[in-house]
Amino acid sequence: MTTEIVDIRSARAGDAHGLTRVHDEAWETAYRGLIPGIQLTKMIQRRGPVYWKKLAERRGSGLLVLAFDGTIAGYASFGPNRSRRVPVAGEIYELYLKPDYQGIGLGTRLFRAARQALGSAGLRGVCAWALDGNTMASAFYEARGGSAHAHGFERFGDTRLAKTAWTWPVRKN
């Protein structure tokens, strides 16, 4: 009998290489064919170990890692909502898992942990943006009770892609 251990915790500087691997693999899978290739490659290259180390070291960075049997398998970054069009206080900026770890409930656990951290920071209500062509992300947020609240566009070079803000209102106890 084997037991796998799932650990969700605040990121540490020593997680930088694992975070880089998650980011690169998840973004390649999610956005290849959606975001123009040159822009996607540049976006991925900007997020190397130095970026993740600095983010993890930043006090109050709002960065969680999900480790599965000691391997960094996912991350979520979050903080105050950046859009005035969405009437909630918190935002999940990014939530990604390595492709091999998707579809087995780990994303839901990471999502819940990020929402709990936002609530503990006094940021009530949550939003998360997803490119409309990223059907996996939209289905994930909808399956977790999110409502499509606002729409916008994101520019990648000469390409404009539609995006949707998914929201979860303040929980009533």
Side-chain angles (χ1 to χ4, degrees), residues 80-160:
N81 176 17
R82 300 171 291 183
S83 174
R84 293 181 188 181
R85 296 184 300 156
V86 185
V88 295
E91 181 178 351
I92 296 175
Y93 306 136
E94 296 183 21
L95 191 151
Y96 291 100
L97 293 172
K98 289 173 102 176
D100 290 347
Y101 296 90
Q102 295 175 4
I104 57 173
L106 298 176
T108 298
R109 292 174 73 170
L110 186 56
F111 175 77
R112 287 181 182 148
R115 284 190 70 187
Q116 182 177 12
L118 284 164
S120 295
L123 299 171
R124 305 289 183 226
V126 177
C127 73
W129 288 87
L131 292 177
D132 289 355
N134 187 347
T135 55
M136 284 183 63
S138 295
F140 176 85
Y141 292 136
E142 186 173 14
R144 269 125 211 97
S147 299
H149 180 84
H151 301 279
F153 293 92
E154 193 78 29
R155 185 165 292 284
F156 301 94
D158 295 331
T159 303
R160 238 177 74 156

Side-chain angles (χ1 to χ4, degrees), residues 51-66:
Y51 170 86
W52 292 109
K53 183 177 185 290
K54 284 181 182 176
L55 185 57
E57 289 175 335
R58 188 180 317 149
R59 190 177 156 149
S61 67
L63 180 61
L64 295 175
V65 298
L66 181 144

Side-chain angles (χ1 to χ4, degrees), residues 2 32 146 149 166:
T2 8
R32 183 63 62 199
H149 180 84
W166 294 90

